[in-house]
Amino acid sequence: MKQLGKQSWEFTTRPVILGASAVVGPEEGEGPLASDFDFIYDSLEMGEKTWEKAERALFEKASKLALMNADLEQDKLEFFVGGDLMNQIISSSFAARKLGVPYLGVFGACSTSMESLAIASMIVDSGGSKYVLAGTSSHNCTVEKQFRYPTEYGSQKPPTAQYTVTGSGCAVVGVNDGSGKHPYMLTATLGKIMDLGLTDPFNMGAAMAPAAADTLTAHFRDTGLTPSHYDLIVTGDLATVGLPIAQTLLAEGGIPMEETVFKDCGNMIYNMDKQKYVIAGGSGCGCSATVTYGHILKRMRKGELKRVLVVATGALLSPLSYQQGESIPCVAHAVALEFGGETR
Amino acid sequence: MKQLGKQSWEFTTRPVILGASAVVGPEEGEGPLASDFDFIYDSLEMGEKTWEKAERALFEKASKLALMNADLEQDKLEFFVGGDLMNQIISSSFAARKLGVPYLGVFGACSTSMESLAIASMIVDSGGSKYVLAGTSSHNCTVEKQFRYPTEYGSQKPPTAQYTVTGSGCAVVGVNDGSGKHPYMLTATLGKIMDLGLTDPFNMGAAMAPAAADTLTAHFRDTGLTPSHYDLIVTGDLATVGLPIAQTLLAEGGIPMEETVFKDCGNMIYNMDKQKYVIAGGSGCGCSATVTYGHILKRMRKGELKRVLVVATGALLSPLSYQQGESIPCVAHAVALEFGGETR
């Protein structure tokens, strides 16, 4: 591994994604990316008695399918790097119990998808393992209950509110054998905390936009690349409110982003015209994870995308820090995925 | 970095601890290790309005002192790897906001001390950074309130209950320049989830003991070493209930541990004869962190200890998983520190 500038790493051995999975709930299954997901639950309960047990089932299903898609038997797996939005990341820890391998729990709120992928890539790149599973999950009813109100209340929401994605995405990261058969990780840019003083838990997009802009700026500074290097640059869950803010901040900083290239997973996962209940768009750890590991990787394998930068954003608030009048510290972690094109 | 066996890494460049800090509360300041701590608060409030704000102040103080002890200006620091026991690891995230460097949030409950040190060591060892801060914290009143009862209730506790350490420990991990001036990290062994079905949040020691035994067994298997290699093997917070269980499990597995070498930070930090209110002993992220970064590192630098294995244990429960009748998944992560002796 090589340090690039202040915030970035180049994975010199180009670790690959041997296989990945995206498992979602019924609402994501009605969205435009439905055919890219590996499994769609037809109810939010998923046959479990509590929302938390349902989220765990979701995560376990995704980890199992990722191993299957990677054609890797479970006893070959060596490490698991995972996290989620639940207090004490219980969904991830219970999934780890089923996997039976050394487990590194991580937390970056919704940026956990790329935080775990960056750490898994580092482990493989530095020779620490041959097979590492990276993954995360979120469930609409666990997250809304924990951070805002139980969905059963039916409380009204402002137009800036986002809708937590029910979904889990996992990827098996492995050594690059040079065969060119799999998408690989080239660089990662780790984010600093950005906190501009916003305190509204119903407006995560605006709170997280500066973190996305900051990490993107750092990525281009550290790597010497420009946005045109990428076929697609996706943020995690800025949705309709946050994405234009990030775009404005980047433009003001001298980094204009084309609308055809700069997108957000929270806008992509739902049919924004029909699924009006998602209000400003999708959010949650499962948002960027399922869109990346379901939709984007499949498009890369088809040759439709060669270079993709995923910038997962996270709002690191707790209900308690919010109740104590604290603002919302945000972070964004980016991982560059490439496949089929020339390496730099 | 080199993978050893199934669960361990050897840090081939031997990253060093350039400087570390241990900041504690008044009760730890009355214990036998008081003179090894860098700062002792004289009240649990620490001049703040809430316990959570106090814990944050504690963490921020420790991160500042670690940089000072490492003789590193804050703008030279490149990464921060941290976590804590609070929901959404807010203490760590707020400390990260002050530090202003890329931040990887981690969660391993009380094993976070060694999880963060292992990841920081990997980053430096693999060339990803020159200066990484690893740290964690816990505060008696935030943790007891969140996981059991607010201390203000004055509820009675069973004899197996442990006492959450108020403390934060941080270490600045850097590149080994070969000068031999600093203790260095040689190996890490990452733990698997161990869950033997225990469900009592007032008996963490018994729940975590199998995880400690499992990680120690893996460590000796992967490295080919025996316990006699080490001058000291310390578990994180098994305390008086858990340590003998771990010892029995290890003996049954053919790894007898000498009582003079095998100790627990939760027994070391308090004066168990006088400070009866700690019941079974210390616990919390701050327990292994302050004992390691305060006491053990100072003894290493004095030449009293050359080879130390720290096995931090974590109970990955949440109040909610416990209320839903789940058992307690546990994990233990070990890092081997050496100084002044011959390398293998």
Side-chain angles (χ1 to χ4, degrees), chain B residues 176-250:
Chain B
N176 192 334
D177 65 0
S179 67
K181 282 200 300 192
H182 303 288
Y184 56 87
M185 276 65 73
L186 190 59
T187 60
T189 300
L190 290 315
K192 295 183 289 191
I193 297 282
M194 294 296 285
D195 186 341
L196 269 62
L198 276 77
T199 56
D200 181 1
F202 285 106
N203 192 354
M204 297 279 98
M208 297 190 295
D214 189 66
T215 296
L216 279 166
T217 304
H219 179 78
F220 296 125
R221 183 195 66 213
D222 290 350
T223 60
L225 298 173
T226 58
S228 64
H229 178 78
Y230 293 102
D231 303 320
L232 178 67
I233 298 171
V234 276
T235 48
D237 52 352
L238 298 182
T240 52
V241 174
L243 188 65
I245 299 175
Q247 198 163 16
T248 303
L249 290 170
L250 284 161

Side-chain angles (χ1 to χ4, degrees), chain A residues 282-306:
Chain A
S283 65
C285 289
C287 184
S288 55
T290 58
V291 173
T292 302
Y293 297 142
H295 177 63
I296 292 172
L297 277 186
K298 286 199 181 69
R299 285 193 65 196
M300 292 185 87
R301 285 186 185 273
K302 280 183 201 161
E304 294 171 15
L305 297 169
K306 286 182 177 165

Side-chain angles (χ1 to χ4, degrees), chain A:
Chain A
M1 204 167 77
K2 209 172 102 185
Q3 188 176 12
L4 298 176
K6 284 192 168 182
Q7 297 182 226
S8 303
W9 299 328
E10 181 181 342
F11 303 116
T12 43
T13 68
R14 317 286 194 249
V16 296
I17 293 183
L18 292 168
S21 67
V23 174
V24 298
E27 285 140 347
E28 294 70 26
E30 287 172 16
L33 309 183
S35 62
D36 287 342
F37 298 134
D38 296 274
F39 189 87
I40 299 169
Y41 282 95
D42 58 12
S43 90
L44 282 167
E45 283 82 3
M46 301 167 184
E48 300 289 338
K49 280 188 182 171
T50 71
W51 300 126
E52 290 75 19
K53 289 179 202 278
E55 181 174 334
R56 186 203 311 181
L58 181 77
F59 206 151
E60 289 173 355
K61 176 79 122 191
S63 61
K64 213 181 268 184
L65 288 176
L67 289 169
M68 203 187 288
N69 291 340
D71 207 11
L72 189 75
E73 285 164 46
Q74 190 170 324
D75 60 4
K76 292 269 171 64
L77 184 69
E78 296 181 329
F79 286 89
F80 172 46
V81 183
D84 56 86
L85 285 164
M86 290 293 89
N87 295 341
Q88 290 73 53
I89 58 168
I90 44 169
S91 307
S92 176
S93 298
F94 282 112
R97 186 173 66 178
K98 273 266 170 79
L99 289 167
V101 294
Y103 163 53
L104 292 170
V106 294
F107 180 78
C110 310
S111 71
T112 300
S113 59
M114 290 303 114
E115 181 184 353
S116 56
L117 185 62
I119 292 176
S121 302
M122 170 167 58
I123 294 173
V124 171
D125 190 47
S126 60
S129 175
K130 294 180 293 298
Y131 304 108
V132 183
L133 185 77
T136 187
S137 72
S138 56
H139 188 295
N140 183 273
C141 302
T142 61
V143 170
E144 292 298 327
K145 171 176 133 187
Q146 182 179 281
F147 285 97
R148 285 162 289 258
Y149 300 104
T151 50
E152 293 89 339
Y153 281 6
S155 64
Q156 283 199 310
K157 290 176 182 178
T160 54
Q162 293 174 230
Y163 196 80
T164 305
V165 165
T166 300
S168 173
C170 292
V172 179
V173 178
V175 175
N176 192 333
D177 66 359
S179 67
K181 281 200 302 192
H182 302 289
Y184 56 87
M185 277 64 74
L186 190 59
T187 59
T189 300
L190 290 316
K192 295 183 288 188
I193 298 281
M194 295 296 286
D195 185 340
L196 270 61
L198 275 78
T199 57
D200 180 2
F202 285 106
N203 193 353
M204 298 279 97
M208 298 190 295
D214 189 65
T215 296
L216 279 166
T217 304
H219 179 79
F220 297 124
R221 183 195 65 213
D222 290 350
T223 60
L225 299 172
T226 58
S228 64
H229 177 79
Y230 293 102
D231 303 321
L232 177 67
I233 298 171
V234 275
T235 48
D237 53 352
L238 298 181
T240 52
V241 175
L243 189 65
I245 299 176
Q247 197 163 17
T248 303
L249 289 170
L250 284 161
E252 285 174 3
I255 306 174
M257 305 285 277
E258 298 286 338
E259 265 174 47
T260 48
V261 171
F262 191 44
K263 296 185 183 294
D264 181 79
C265 299
N267 295 338
M268 292 162 73
I269 194 165
Y270 296 116
N271 188 329
M272 303 292 285
D273 290 331
K274 285 189 186 162
Q275 296 177 287
K276 294 285 187 194
Y277 54 87
V278 305
I279 316 181
S283 65
C285 289
C287 184
S288 55
T290 58
V291 173
T292 302
Y293 297 142
H295 177 63
I296 292 172
L297 277 186
K298 286 199 181 69
R299 285 193 65 196
M300 292 185 87
R301 285 186 185 273
K302 280 183 201 161
E304 294 171 15
L305 297 169
K306 286 182 177 165
R307 296 159 169 177
V308 177
L309 184 64
V310 183
V311 193
T313 40
L316 307 173
L317 83 162
S318 86
L320 193 139
S321 71
Y322 157 69
Q323 285 155 11
Q324 292 189 1
E326 300 292 348
S327 55
I328 303 172
C330 294
V331 76
H333 300 301
V335 175
L337 298 161
E338 303 209 353
F339 185 58
E342 289 167 36
T343 50
R344 285 190 294 154

Side-chain angles (χ1 to χ4, degrees), chain B residues 272-286:
Chain B
M272 303 292 285
D273 291 331
K274 285 190 187 162
Q275 295 178 287
K276 295 286 188 193
Y277 55 87
V278 305
I279 317 180
S283 65
C285 290

Side-chain angles (χ1 to χ4, degrees), chain B residues 48-209:
Chain B
E48 300 289 338
K49 280 188 183 172
T50 71
W51 300 126
E52 290 75 19
K53 287 178 202 278
E55 181 174 332
R56 186 202 311 180
L58 180 77
F59 205 152
E60 290 173 355
K61 176 79 121 190
S63 62
K64 214 182 266 185
L65 287 176
L67 289 170
M68 204 186 288
N69 291 340
D71 207 12
L72 189 75
E73 285 164 47
Q74 189 170 324
D75 61 4
K76 292 270 172 62
L77 184 70
E78 296 181 328
F79 287 89
F80 172 45
V81 183
D84 57 86
L85 285 165
M86 290 293 90
N87 296 340
Q88 290 75 51
I89 59 168
I90 43 168
S91 308
S92 176
S93 298
F94 282 113
R97 187 174 64 178
K98 272 266 169 81
L99 290 167
V101 294
Y103 163 54
L104 292 169
V106 294
F107 180 78
C110 310
S111 73
T112 301
S113 59
M114 290 304 113
E115 182 184 352
S116 55
L117 185 62
I119 292 177
S121 302
M122 169 168 58
I123 295 173
V124 171
D125 190 47
S126 59
S129 176
K130 294 179 293 297
Y131 303 109
V132 183
L133 185 77
T136 186
S137 73
S138 56
H139 188 295
N140 183 272
C141 302
T142 60
V143 171
E144 292 299 326
K145 171 176 133 186
Q146 182 178 281
F147 285 97
R148 285 163 290 258
Y149 300 105
T151 51
E152 293 89 338
Y153 280 6
S155 64
Q156 283 198 310
K157 290 176 183 178
T160 54
Q162 293 175 230
Y163 196 81
T164 306
V165 165
T166 300
S168 173
C170 292
V172 179
V173 178
V175 175
N176 192 334
D177 65 0
S179 67
K181 282 200 300 192
H182 303 288
Y184 56 87
M185 276 65 73
L186 190 59
T187 60
T189 300
L190 290 315
K192 295 183 289 191
I193 297 282
M194 294 296 285
D195 186 341
L196 269 62
L198 276 77
T199 56
D200 181 1
F202 285 106
N203 192 354
M204 297 279 98
M208 297 190 295

